[in-house]
Amino acid sequence: MKRLLHKKIFLVAFILCAKHAIIAQENTVDAPIKNFEKLWSEFNIRYANFELKNVDWNAVYGKYRSMINEQTTNDALFEICSQMINELKDDHVNLIEFGKKRKIVRLNENAAPTRMLEKFSKSKKKSPNLYDLLKVSDTTLQQYGFSDFENEKGLIRYSVSDQYGYLGVQSMQGLSNGKLKSILSRAMNAFEDKKGVIIDIRFNGGGDDEVSYEIAGRFADKTRVGHYKKTRKKGTNEFTPLKTWYLKPTGKQQFIKPVVVLTSDYTASAADVFALAIKELPHVTILGDYTRGIFSDMDDFRLPNKWIATLSHQQYFSADMKNYEGKGVKPHIEALNPVSDIENKSDSVIVKAFEILKEKTTPSIKKP
């Protein structure tokens, strides 16, 4: 990602849950046609996934260009442009207006809310919400005999019971490299004598791919291909040569006994990448929902009126060369949290994870 958003910073976490941003009511007119043309043109020469999304960008131009003229106000222009880019159904595609101190004052409303957020609001003022579900997750772990969490800023935390370990990763950014490696090393030490581990990335909106690989590497048995990626060459229909990312053991010790990774369609960006890579490990089971499916870094550019737009300019592929952009990583076993988990005070997905670990760690008895 360049300039404004040079990493997979999860601006989209805000966008996914924001039904309505704080709108600056500007009825001024500021070169609407010029700004519209710039927006459409930059997508035309940079965006990587028109074919995958089955979007005819020229037809999109005709549809929305007819809606504006030289008297179109900023408010109307923002709405029209938002509708246009939302045709791509891509959470890394954004239109943003910044105010003072880089505060976001308006952005395009997401066209496809997550299944997770449709059931569990991001707002504490609404019920049920994600915070309710997180509390239920903690309660469930306590009921299964897990210890208090050791955590780093709430971004990465771990706990253990007599038999199992739990690693909750809520972001792939926010920690220094040293602190990240330190808590992972402590977790691996705590997990050493456990039969299995749960890795929970259901609430993880992404961050840096490097962080994803550092964490996944603590569970790698050997070096394997994690994913491939390529970048569209601006102004052409060509891409750079494929770049190979290798998933390899990291740290002094790795956990290579049964692992269950919990996912949801809130699992996005660098967390998508984590799921894509760690699924290559034979001792890993993915449990949950399809991940969000937004793998590409975000490339950004500025319009003449100083609005900022971001787009996906890359294609990611699994080790077997499948592109899951817009689809997400498929779990081995599907399991979604119902709203009733809140009332029952039991995280049914975590309970299912324990069932899987028990099955995989209980020796089979051969019949005579």
Side-chain angles (χ1 to χ4, degrees):
M1 205 174 303
K2 303 175 183 176
R3 298 186 300 279
L4 171 69
L5 300 167
H6 55 279
K7 295 180 180 178
K8 279 191 175 179
I9 297 173
F10 197 44
L11 166 67
V12 73
F14 178 80
I15 295 166
L16 285 177
C17 67
K19 291 291 185 180
H20 298 282
I22 300 172
I23 303 299
Q25 296 296 331
E26 295 183 16
N27 291 315
T28 57
V29 175
D30 186 0
I33 294 177
K34 181 179 181 181
N35 284 286
F36 176 90
E37 293 285 353
K38 174 69 173 179
L39 180 67
W40 182 89
S41 177
E42 289 296 320
F43 271 81
N44 191 49
I45 63 176
R46 296 192 195 193
Y47 189 72
N49 295 303
F50 289 126
E51 184 175 351
L52 184 69
K53 297 285 186 175
N54 195 29
V55 172
D56 182 338
W57 198 235
N58 287 312
V60 168
Y61 175 89
K63 176 180 177 180
Y64 290 97
R65 174 62 181 84
S66 62
M67 297 182 183
I68 64 171
N69 55 48
E70 291 293 2
Q71 284 73 50
T72 302
T73 65
N74 281 356
D75 282 343
L77 179 65
F78 197 96
E79 178 63 25
I80 293 167
C81 288
S82 294
Q83 290 177 16
M84 179 176 73
I85 63 176
N86 282 346
E87 294 268 0
L88 296 168
K89 294 182 174 60
D90 184 334
D91 291 326
H92 276 169
V93 166
N94 303 298
L95 183 62
I96 312 160
E97 180 183 356
F98 287 102
K100 294 180 180 179
K101 297 182 179 180
R102 305 295 288 169
K103 181 180 179 180
I104 296 175
V105 295
R106 88 170 127 188
L107 48 80
N108 61 300
E109 183 176 335
N110 180 261
T114 71
R115 289 178 290 278
M116 173 71 86
L117 289 178
E118 285 181 323
K119 290 188 291 185
F120 303 99
S121 171
K122 186 70 181 292
S123 172
K124 291 183 178 180
K125 296 180 181 180
K126 298 180 180 180
S127 184
N129 58 56
L130 288 182
Y131 307 95
D132 295 333
L133 184 56
L134 281 166
K135 288 179 182 178
V136 167
S137 298
D138 291 353
T139 298
T140 304
L141 291 169
Q142 291 168 4
Q143 292 170 346
Y144 276 79
F146 277 73
S147 62
D148 292 338
F149 286 104
E150 180 171 347
N151 71 81
E152 280 289 352
K153 300 181 180 179
L155 301 177
I156 297 182
R157 59 183 192 159
Y158 70 89
S159 178
V160 294
S161 68
D162 290 341
Q163 298 188 75
Y164 306 121
Y166 173 91
L167 181 67
V169 186
Q170 294 194 29
S171 179
M172 297 303 183
Q173 64 180 16
L175 295 178
S176 67
N177 193 45
K179 287 186 175 181
L180 172 65
K181 291 182 177 180
S182 177
I183 191 169
L184 289 175
S185 293
R186 298 196 302 274
M188 293 304 106
N189 184 59
F191 297 161
E192 185 175 13
D193 65 343
K194 305 307 174 187
K195 292 182 179 181
V197 166
I198 296 170
I199 305 175
D200 195 345
I201 57 170
R202 287 175 295 172
F203 311 99
N204 191 317
D208 298 338
D209 289 350
E210 291 82 2
V211 172
S212 298
Y213 269 75
E214 177 64 33
I215 299 171
R218 300 295 177 125
F219 300 88
D221 56 343
K222 65 180 183 180
T223 298
R224 303 169 183 271
V225 172
H227 76 273
Y228 302 100
K229 65 184 291 186
K230 62 182 181 179
T231 303
R232 183 181 175 186
K233 295 180 180 179
K234 182 178 178 180
T236 75
N237 291 321
E238 299 178 355
F239 287 79
T240 60
L242 279 177
K243 180 180 179 180
T244 306
W245 281 57
Y246 291 98
L247 175 58
K248 58 185 69 175
T250 56
K252 293 183 179 180
Q253 62 186 115
Q254 296 78 42
F255 188 90
I256 57 174
K257 288 176 277 188
V259 172
V260 177
V261 178
L262 311 184
T263 61
S264 74
D265 71 338
Y266 191 84
T267 302
S269 196
D272 273 309
V273 175
F274 177 89
L276 187 70
I278 204 167
K279 193 176 183 182
E280 294 300 318
L281 302 180
H283 54 283
V284 167
T285 300
I286 307 290
L287 170 69
D289 197 359
Y290 284 76
T291 63
R292 189 63 178 167
I294 47 173
F295 295 89
S296 173
D297 291 340
M298 287 187 283
D299 198 9
D300 67 280
F301 60 92
R302 186 184 299 270
L303 299 182
N305 62 6
K306 298 184 180 179
W307 293 346
I308 300 295
T310 68
L311 54 80
S312 300
H313 64 306
Q314 297 169 328
Q315 293 183 350
Y316 277 57
F317 301 90
S318 62
D320 58 354
M321 284 302 296
K322 293 181 180 178
N323 187 340
Y324 294 106
E325 188 77 27
K327 302 174 183 177
V329 177
K330 181 181 180 179
H332 293 105
I333 302 171
E334 290 193 48
L336 282 67
N337 289 101
V339 173
S340 59
D341 279 2
I342 304 299
E343 182 179 350
N344 297 334
K345 295 183 179 180
S346 179
D347 187 328
S348 59
V349 176
I350 287 182
V351 172
K352 179 65 176 178
F354 286 132
E355 294 174 359
I356 294 170
L357 286 178
K358 182 178 180 180
E359 180 181 344
K360 290 185 174 295
T361 59
T362 301
S364 59
I365 299 176
K366 295 183 179 180
K367 295 182 179 180

